[in-house]
Amino acid sequence: MSTPASLSTILQPALSEDEQDAVTDLYIRGTPPNTLRAYERDLIYITAWKLAAFSAPLAWPETETVALRFILDHSRDLHDASNSARGAAEHLIAQGLRKTLACPAPSTLDRRIASWRAFHRMKNLASPFDAPLIRQTRGKARRAAAKPRAPKSANPITLDVLEAVLATCDHSLRGIRDRAVLMLGWASGGRRRSEIAGLMRADVDLKDYPADGLIWINLIATKTTETGKTPRLVLKGRAAKALAFWIEMGGITDGPLFRPITQNDDPLARKLSPDGIYQIVQKRIAQAGFPKGFATPHGLRSGFLTQAALDGAPIQAAMRLSLHKSVAQAQKYYDDVEITDNPATDLLG
């Protein structure tokens, strides 16, 4: 992946040209593509904001005054403001870099600050966002904007929901593909849609399938694991049969594992996008008779863990498939189970 022009200006500490090239190459190879794209978008945004707010380009290192103003400008609603903060926001809106004058989500501000700090680290410079006053101000702003966290999926896709959704998948190639997508996404631990879409045929090991009915899945990387350090996942039973059937019927010998299907029910050569996974889940949820917005692809992940809790599976066993690093994070799904449905209430029979 080539370095975007605006980002390449950041990757230039006071080194020789050869050393700069080597550092740039390390950052490119050592940073996930999605992170690089996020860095690029954030750099474009903060550069435009600094120009609109101060009529000046970014400085390295940046001043604490600029850092404080950035936090203040992005921690309040500007609809009723008539100051320079609103003027800068309107410039960003005109450039398509900001949607409204409403206060941005705290997570968006956190990400942009994290990127700005990363740019300083790339240049071996101290970040103004590490100053005590700036850190305290950011903490106060985050608490002031705190809202109850909305779930990524309105409802978990537990086994009963999944069965209803799978029943909508017919024997067309599209139905065969969708059944495999849903079963792999659920049974392998609740995979994220980006992980499902990113699978290649080479990531699927069928050598144990004929004798033992097992399929091994090799994820290159996930949100919580590093490239090359993700443990192999296993599919068995109905999920393994669904995936093997898709591979056979789709003629998937190499390249992307899941692909778009034409109106003539033929697979294309390119991979299915994460948005394609989203559309599959939405379509099948609706066809199963559930209301619009009932669940999203994250419902596969939350549904797997919720079902594990309902079935009395130890949380550590579920986490080996879901690949959660934090027990506290995975525990939230276990805590969502109604106490009357908790298998522990039936220990005496």
Side-chain angles (χ1 to χ4, degrees):
M1 176 179 178
S2 61
T3 312
S6 55
L7 185 56
S8 65
T9 63
I10 298 300
L11 300 173
Q12 293 180 1
L15 302 172
S16 69
E17 185 175 347
D18 287 345
E19 289 170 333
Q20 289 176 9
D21 291 341
V23 170
T24 299
D25 179 63
L26 279 177
Y27 271 102
I28 295 302
R29 291 188 292 111
T31 305
N34 286 345
T35 303
L36 286 176
R37 285 190 286 270
Y39 279 166
E40 174 71 1
R41 290 193 299 270
D42 291 339
L43 180 58
I44 291 171
Y45 183 89
I46 61 179
T47 300
W49 172 85
K50 174 77 181 292
L51 190 60
F54 291 91
S55 300
L58 293 176
W60 304 102
E62 194 51 87
T63 67
E64 292 181 17
T65 299
V66 171
L68 180 61
R69 168 74 183 275
F70 187 76
I71 292 174
L72 294 177
D73 281 11
H74 294 83
S75 300
R76 51 186 169 154
D77 189 297
L78 298 175
H79 281 97
D80 296 327
S82 58
N83 53 15
S84 57
R86 174 167 178 157
E90 289 174 339
H91 275 289
L92 294 171
I93 292 171
Q95 297 175 60
L97 298 175
R98 180 168 175 161
K99 293 182 179 180
T100 70
L101 293 173
C103 179
S107 59
T108 301
L109 178 57
D110 282 344
R111 194 199 69 239
R112 286 174 177 155
I113 290 175
S115 295
W116 211 339
R117 294 178 66 200
F119 299 150
H120 279 78
R121 288 196 301 271
M122 292 174 189
K123 298 178 79 68
N124 199 29
L125 297 171
S127 166
F129 291 100
D130 292 330
L133 174 62
I134 309 301
R135 292 172 65 91
Q136 185 180 49
T137 302
R138 178 66 196 117
K140 297 291 186 182
R142 189 182 297 109
R143 283 191 288 274
K147 298 178 182 178
R149 185 173 180 178
K152 294 181 179 179
S153 182
N155 294 284
I157 300 177
T158 48
L159 186 57
D160 57 337
V161 176
L162 181 66
E163 294 289 11
V165 172
L166 291 174
T168 70
C169 299
D170 57 21
H171 297 294
S172 66
L173 196 60
R174 189 184 303 275
I176 293 169
R177 180 204 62 186
D178 290 1
R179 185 180 295 107
V181 164
L182 294 164
M183 281 198 167
L184 181 146
W186 198 92
S188 63
R191 302 272 55 87
R192 300 175 180 89
R193 56 175 172 161
S194 60
E195 296 167 2
I196 300 172
L199 283 170
M200 305 295 285
R201 174 61 184 85
D203 299 327
V204 178
D205 186 348
L206 295 171
K207 72 178 185 334
D208 291 334
Y209 181 70
D212 302 322
L214 302 179
I215 295 180
W216 297 94
I217 307 293
N218 297 291
L219 290 173
I220 301 301
T222 72
K223 186 178 179 180
T224 56
T225 59
E226 298 179 18
T227 300
K229 295 185 178 181
T230 306
R232 288 200 308 170
L233 301 173
V234 66
L235 280 186
K236 58 173 66 173
R238 296 165 57 199
K241 291 178 181 178
L243 181 58
F245 193 50
W246 156 247
I247 291 173
E248 177 186 358
M249 299 305 294
I252 313 299
T253 57
D254 57 15
L257 179 61
F258 294 117
R259 307 161 182 224
I261 304 292
T262 68
Q263 291 186 349
N264 293 328
D265 214 34
D266 296 318
L268 298 176
R270 61 182 172 86
K271 69 177 181 180
L272 196 64
S273 68
D275 184 64
I277 304 295
Y278 178 87
Q279 297 300 330
I280 288 173
V281 173
Q282 292 299 299
K283 173 186 174 182
R284 297 297 177 182
I285 284 285
Q287 289 181 340
F290 294 99
K292 184 178 181 180
F294 177 84
T296 68
H298 190 267
L300 296 170
R301 188 164 177 80
S302 61
F304 170 80
L305 284 164
T306 302
Q307 192 65 50
L310 289 169
D311 291 350
I315 190 170
Q316 293 83 357
M319 288 175 63
R320 287 192 67 183
L321 287 177
S322 70
L323 301 181
H324 276 88
K325 281 190 173 181
S326 167
V327 174
Q329 182 68 27
Q331 185 68 47
K332 293 178 182 178
Y333 300 105
Y334 273 60
D335 291 343
D336 285 343
V337 173
E338 292 288 344
I339 193 168
T340 55
D341 294 328
N342 189 323
T345 62
D346 296 322
L347 292 180
L348 192 58

